[in-house]
Amino acid sequence: MRVLHCYRTFYPETQGGLEQAILEMARHEAGSEVLTLSSSPGEVSVSDIPVKADRRWLSVASCCMGPGLVSTLYKSQADILHLHFPWPFGDLSYLLGGRRRPLIVTYHSDIVRQRALGAVYGPLMRLFLNKADRIVATSPNYLASSPVLTEYAKKVEVIPLGISESGYPRPSNNTIGHLRERFGQDFMLFIGALRYYKGLEYLLHAAKGLPFPILIAGKGPEEKMLKALAVTLGAENVHFLGHVDDEEKMALLDLCRAVVFPSHLRSEAFGVTLLEGMMAAKPLISCDIGTGTSFVNLDGVTGHVIAPADVQALRSAMMDLWDDRKKAESWGHAARARYEEMFTGQKMAEAYQDLYRRVLGERTDHGARG
């Protein structure tokens, strides 16, 4: 069984939670490949997964476009096409080049910010989703709260995202020692792309005057604004680390007191960083935005779930875990147990493998009856 994953960005050009999730899906299914767009087209191997990148001609409102994708999709010998939503050009590419092959759509997020464009895109989106054999929601929370998913509820299945511990390096003593020397330990840690929906401006307001460091690891379009805001606020305990590699990430997770994930808009549909914190047995702080973040992080069990864009609630949650080490450790152990029960890469992969086989079987049965 050959499965082709298709999304607008991928390694090595971009690194994010969605790219990590696609890689996890692909690495567990023999014969999987990834098709994407890039400013540097070509073919590479990422963790032994073949990745084909066609040229990205332009990007409008985060929608990457490159006409070569349609031809590549058409010529692909894949048995199943697995597209990752939202990506309007990907929808169009399937309709033009998919050759009616079985289609799985993982629905990662509603269109939140570009609502005007979303209204124009609506007819194409529905035509595309009508063609899907199955639509996968990443959490029951998102299925319940998304007007689009509820419209297609009869063919929606829920498969949570997952990550594999074996896919992360064990940090060396030198790396841990270097970071401990720079920042100490028991700091609060954010890891992720610095985007508009991450709620980091509220984290900066909450950080001022707290008795511990707050580390922000990652790069993104909001970086310049956030650094300027930190200076304006006098939040001297906030440190911007920029991009960190996986070894540094795991060392930071080892040293931190808690993972802080203040995303305040529905564009944050799940939060792979939360899974990484759970895997490292750390308590979590996240916001209740009606998405998978509150499916991953259980309030009062694995961490704090607070109101979005609430500076005082965020400050209080961090202080609570700072003041009560035993609670932080207890919630961290509960987080690790929940990761093992619900969110391993193997569990996610097995669920998708079962779905692929069922969809192919249904197509075969339908062809035989036809």
Side-chain angles (χ1 to χ4, degrees):
M1 177 169 47
R2 300 182 64 181
V3 179
L4 180 67
H5 291 269
C6 193
Y7 187 57
R8 61 186 177 88
T9 58
F10 199 67
Y11 300 105
E13 185 176 59
T14 61
Q15 301 178 7
L18 202 152
E19 288 90 340
Q20 178 67 27
I22 294 172
L23 183 62
E24 290 284 355
M25 296 174 198
R27 65 162 45 122
H28 285 93
E29 181 65 53
S32 286
E33 299 176 335
V34 176
L35 176 61
T36 188
L37 294 176
S38 172
S39 59
S40 302
E43 298 182 23
V44 297
S45 177
V46 179
S47 296
D48 297 324
I49 304 300
V51 177
K52 163 73 172 177
D54 282 307
R55 182 174 296 280
R56 180 178 63 244
W57 285 23
L58 74 159
S59 181
V60 178
S62 299
C63 180
C64 301
M65 291 176 271
L69 188 85
V70 177
S71 175
T72 302
L73 197 61
Y74 183 85
K75 295 175 183 176
S76 167
Q77 298 303 306
D79 302 302
I80 289 183
L81 301 180
H82 188 158
L83 274 71
H84 295 265
F85 182 98
W87 182 25
F89 186 77
D91 301 5
L92 180 62
S93 296
Y94 174 80
L95 294 171
L96 294 175
R99 304 193 340 250
R100 298 185 179 181
R101 279 170 291 178
L103 172 63
I104 305 295
V105 176
T106 296
Y107 191 100
H108 292 278
S109 173
D110 294 327
I111 294 177
V112 178
R113 196 179 195 185
Q114 298 90 3
R115 291 185 178 179
L117 290 176
V120 175
Y121 163 54
L124 171 62
M125 176 189 73
R126 283 172 172 78
L127 182 60
F128 170 69
L129 292 178
N130 284 334
K131 298 288 186 182
D133 292 80
R134 291 291 194 284
I135 301 169
V136 178
T138 56
S139 72
N141 302 47
Y142 216 92
L143 172 57
S145 62
S146 167
V148 175
L149 286 177
T150 53
E151 183 178 339
Y152 292 92
K154 289 185 178 179
K155 60 178 176 181
V156 174
E157 298 191 14
V158 175
I159 301 178
L161 300 182
I163 57 175
S164 297
E165 197 164 18
S166 61
Y168 292 81
R170 185 179 298 275
S172 67
N173 290 335
N174 285 342
T175 299
I176 292 175
H178 173 68
L179 289 170
R180 182 187 287 116
E181 184 177 342
R182 288 181 64 193
F183 305 112
Q185 62 186 72
D186 287 331
F187 44 78
M188 301 293 165
L189 176 65
F190 168 87
I191 302 173
L194 310 188
R195 302 190 185 280
Y196 71 95
Y197 56 84
K198 295 293 185 179
L200 292 170
E201 62 270 36
Y202 305 106
L203 179 59
L204 294 181
H205 281 280
K208 183 179 177 180
L210 291 177
F212 46 79
I214 296 175
L215 274 54
I216 296 177
K219 297 181 70 66
E222 302 295 305
E223 183 174 359
K224 184 176 180 180
M225 180 276 291
L226 291 168
K227 287 182 175 179
L229 178 60
V231 172
T232 299
L233 293 172
E236 297 178 355
N237 57 328
V238 175
H239 304 273
F240 291 88
L241 277 58
H243 172 73
V244 297
D245 61 30
D246 281 346
E247 184 185 3
E248 292 171 319
K249 179 195 295 186
M250 297 310 295
L252 290 167
L253 286 167
D254 182 70
L255 291 169
C256 75
R257 175 66 65 90
V259 170
V260 184
F261 202 70
S263 297
H264 65 300
L265 297 174
R266 282 181 58 81
S267 298
E268 190 68 76
F270 196 85
V272 171
T273 294
L274 294 173
L275 301 188
E276 293 172 335
M278 297 174 85
M279 186 175 71
K282 299 296 178 176
L284 312 171
I285 299 172
S286 61
C287 297
D288 188 359
I289 51 177
T291 72
T293 61
S294 300
F295 172 64
V296 175
N297 183 23
L298 299 182
D299 187 41
V301 178
T302 60
H304 284 293
V305 178
I306 62 173
D310 189 328
V311 171
Q312 188 54 51
L314 182 53
R315 186 179 179 92
S316 297
M318 289 190 288
M319 281 300 303
D320 180 55
L321 293 177
W322 172 258
D323 289 334
D324 195 336
R325 178 184 292 273
K326 288 186 177 180
K327 177 190 285 187
E329 291 176 351
S330 175
W331 285 1
H333 292 317
R336 172 69 193 195
R338 183 163 173 76
Y339 158 74
E340 293 176 354
E341 178 186 3
M342 299 284 295
F343 301 116
T344 65
Q346 186 65 35
K347 289 183 182 298
M348 177 184 67
E350 288 173 355
Y352 272 109
Q353 288 163 2
D354 175 67
L355 178 58
Y356 296 151
R357 293 186 179 94
R358 284 188 283 119
V359 166
L360 283 177
E362 290 167 6
R363 283 291 192 104
T364 301
D365 291 343
H366 179 74
R369 289 194 299 270

